[in-house]
């Protein structure tokens, strides 16, 4: 993510210097996405608010979709599931139900955070669950949310089977954020089975891998 952040900052600077008004908000939104992934939430939220406002004013639905989704992820990271749900539903209205859409797992995570695992499962099913049309990291995030939804519904064996698919859904990646999400899915199942010490070991190993 660090090289991506430098590239986004350079793109934004060049767009502004050359007065490429339609490109500047896109690089701003990209920078905000990378900052969100890095946990730089204050900077990410400021960038996304500006990008979303620019998108709405200019009628750029594509940029509005991405800005709304990143705003939803920031809200989830900050413990504001109501805001996350509102932003994600804006993305739903803009993009509809498409194979590549991050709306399904994002709305599901917000509903799960609000104590509605059945509603979360219904949304995931609408969007094809761990849809093969998703980008690899998004597919893994969808799997992670679905594992937690199944655990909340006390469907531990279904969750265990799904968590076992995480390494394959990662496309062979075993480091960074991929390792962390794999570990969280596995640790959740272990915890639900009463293996607290093993769950802690797996979770900590995932945290170390993701720095």
């Amino acid at each position: 993510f660090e090289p991506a952040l430098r590239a986004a900052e350079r793109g934004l600077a060049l767009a502004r210097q050359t007065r490429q008004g339609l490109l500047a908000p896109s690089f701003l939104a990209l920078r905000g996405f990378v900052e969100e992934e890095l946990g730089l939430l204050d900077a990410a939220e400021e960038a996304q608010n500006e990008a979303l406002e620019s998108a709405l004013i200019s009628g750029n639905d594509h940029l509005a979709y991405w800005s709304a989704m990143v705003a939803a992820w920031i809200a989830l990271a900050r413990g504001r599931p109501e805001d996350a749900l509102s932003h994600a539903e804006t993305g739903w209205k803009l993009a509809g139900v498409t194979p590549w859409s991050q709306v399904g797992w994002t709305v599901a995570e917000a509903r799960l955070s609000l104590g509605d695992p059945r509603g979360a499962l219904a949304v995931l099913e609408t969007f094809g669950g761990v849809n093969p049309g998703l980008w690899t990291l998004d597919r893994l995030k969808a799997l992670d949310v679905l594992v937690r939804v199944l655990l909340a519904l006390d469907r531990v064996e279904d969750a265990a089977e799904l968590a076992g698919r995480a390494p394959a859904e990662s496309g062979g990646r075993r480091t960074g954020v991929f390792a962390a999400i794999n570990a969280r899915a596995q640790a959740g199942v272990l915890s639900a089975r009463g293996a607290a010490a093993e769950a802690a070991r797996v979770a900590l190993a995932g945290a170390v891998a993701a720095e």
Side-chain angles (χ1 to χ4, degrees), residues 33-52:
F33 164 67
V34 179
E35 288 168 338
E36 181 271 330
E37 289 288 338
L38 288 169
L40 306 172
L41 298 182
D42 287 340
E45 191 159 29
E46 182 179 350
Q48 289 310 316
N49 286 341
E50 184 178 343
L52 183 56

Side-chain angles (χ1 to χ4, degrees), residues 30 37 43-44 66 68 77 82 87 91 98 123 144-145 164 173 208 211:
L30 175 59
E37 289 288 338
W66 282 105
E82 296 91 348
H87 286 305
T98 56
V123 172
D144 173 57
V145 174
R173 296 169 177 82
V208 169
E211 301 178 353

